[in-house]
């Protein structure tokens, strides 16, 4: 179970779509700005599952999203719940830290509600899906994941990402990447593009992300999946930094 050494253009396009579908859904489906505090997001999640195929939500379950907004900053909690279970009311408007644990009827992790076809691509998709749902509707100072660009070795079609700032993908061949005076904390990887491998313990997904927030940073992500599950444990290591960057 491995990805190709070189990502084909179709997969590069899909990776870009995975990184922007959450923002596109919000822009298309939210016609008014949600109120301050907590509110329920009534969304059609079909576009998400179309982009993240072959992943799908387990039969009999539904996604429920709750948004917390304070001024220009926002973040959300997305849970997988039985479709016929009562939808919990939002927490108190001033309870910013509500629902660190799952609310009634919800699975402890939304990724417990996800299934797929067991291919290498499905596990890479799960790594990105978990982060997209965790960072769903995050804006301002809460938008850590949205500020990360997935680094790949292959060239990126600029037309597929030109409407997004920061871009969702970054080619290691691009001048914007190679001209940075990187200070390597760890050995530079031989390849930047995502990799997937399987052993007797399960599946491991590894990828590199770039952010210019605060300073230029390259982060190595390692996700461990148990066999037959799309719930993962993750570790992150900073592999390089450079002065510069921007502030929100």
């Amino acid at each position: 179970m491995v990805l190709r050494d070189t990502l084909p253009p179709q997969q590069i396009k899909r990776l870009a779509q995975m990184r922007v579908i959450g923002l596109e859904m919000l822009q298309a489906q939210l016609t008014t700005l949600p109120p301050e505090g907590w509110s329920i997001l009534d969304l059609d999640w079909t576009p998400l599952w179309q982009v993240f195929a072959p992943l799908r939500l387990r039969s009999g379950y539904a996604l429920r999203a709750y948004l917390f907004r304070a001024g220009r900053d926002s973040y959300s909690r997305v849970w997988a719940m039985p479709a016929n279970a009562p939808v919990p009311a939002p927490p108190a408007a001033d309870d910013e830290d509500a629902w660190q644990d799952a609310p009634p009827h919800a699975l402890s992790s939304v990724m417990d509600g996800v299934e797929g076809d067991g291919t290498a691509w499905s596990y890479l998709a799960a790594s990105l899906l978990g982060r997209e749902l965790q960072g769903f509707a995050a804006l301002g100072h809460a938008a850590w994941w949205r500020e990360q660009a997935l680094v790949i070795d292959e060239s990126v079609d600029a037309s597929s990402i030109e409407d997004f700032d920061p871009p969702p993908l970054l080619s290691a061949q691009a001048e914007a990447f190679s001209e940075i005076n990187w200070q390597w904390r760890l050995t530079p990887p031989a390849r930047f593009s995502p990799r997937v491998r399987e052993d007797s313990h399960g599946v491991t997904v590894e990828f590199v992300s770039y952010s210019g927030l605060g300073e230029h940073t390259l982060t190595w992500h390692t996700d461990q999946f148990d066999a037959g599950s799309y719930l993962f444990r993750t570790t992150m290591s900073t592999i390089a930094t450079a002065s510069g960057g921007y502030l929100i």
Side-chain angles (χ1 to χ4, degrees):
M1 178 192 291
V2 294
L3 293 176
R4 295 183 186 180
D5 287 341
T6 301
L7 293 172
Q10 183 179 9
Q11 287 189 343
I12 295 173
K13 182 179 179 180
R14 286 282 301 281
L15 289 174
Q17 291 173 330
M18 290 175 180
R19 292 303 323 280
V20 303
I21 183 60
L23 183 59
E24 289 181 338
M25 282 178 55
L26 286 174
Q27 291 174 338
Q29 298 186 38
L30 291 186
T31 56
T32 59
L33 188 66
E36 298 254 336
W38 286 100
S39 58
I40 298 176
L41 295 179
D42 184 13
L43 299 172
D44 174 11
W45 295 92
T46 302
L48 181 94
W49 298 114
Q50 290 173 339
V51 168
F52 278 92
L55 298 180
R56 58 189 177 273
L57 197 61
R58 285 166 47 186
S59 177
Y61 280 81
L63 294 184
R64 310 295 186 197
Y66 296 78
L67 178 78
F68 181 85
R69 189 176 74 84
R72 297 196 301 175
D73 296 340
S74 67
Y75 62 87
S76 70
R77 302 273 191 262
V78 180
W79 305 101
M81 303 181 184
N84 59 0
V87 179
D94 60 349
D95 190 359
E96 182 176 352
D97 297 322
W99 285 356
Q100 300 295 328
D101 299 317
H105 312 297
L107 298 177
S108 58
S109 169
V110 67
M111 297 307 292
D112 276 327
V114 174
E115 53 189 20
D117 64 358
T119 58
W121 178 258
S122 74
Y123 282 99
L124 174 56
S127 285
L128 298 181
L129 175 63
R131 290 169 171 84
E132 292 297 324
L133 291 177
Q134 185 179 39
F136 189 76
L139 298 174
H141 292 89
W144 180 85
W145 175 242
R146 194 171 304 285
E147 300 299 321
Q148 302 289 318
L150 186 66
V151 181
I152 63 174
D153 295 289
E154 297 76 12
S155 60
V156 177
D157 178 7
S159 65
S160 66
I161 60 174
E162 61 185 1
D163 293 335
F164 299 93
D165 183 24
L169 298 181
L170 178 63
S171 171
Q173 302 176 23
E175 289 185 7
F177 183 89
S178 59
E179 291 182 349
I180 296 174
N181 185 25
W182 292 112
Q183 302 299 308
W184 294 97
R185 299 186 183 184
L186 301 175
T187 303
R191 273 183 57 78
F192 286 95
S193 289
R195 63 200 71 187
V196 181
R197 65 178 188 272
E198 183 181 25
D199 57 27
S200 59
H201 302 291
V203 176
T204 301
V205 174
E206 297 172 307
F207 66 91
V208 177
S209 68
Y210 159 80
S211 174
L213 181 60
E215 65 177 351
H216 299 293
T217 305
L218 292 177
T219 303
W220 185 276
H221 304 256
T222 302
D223 296 343
Q224 301 281 349
F225 296 80
D226 292 332
S229 171
Y230 287 99
L231 175 66
F232 58 88
R233 304 172 298 279
T234 189
T235 58
M236 298 187 299
S237 301
T238 299
I239 59 176
T241 58
S243 60
Y246 58 89
L247 298 175
I248 295 180

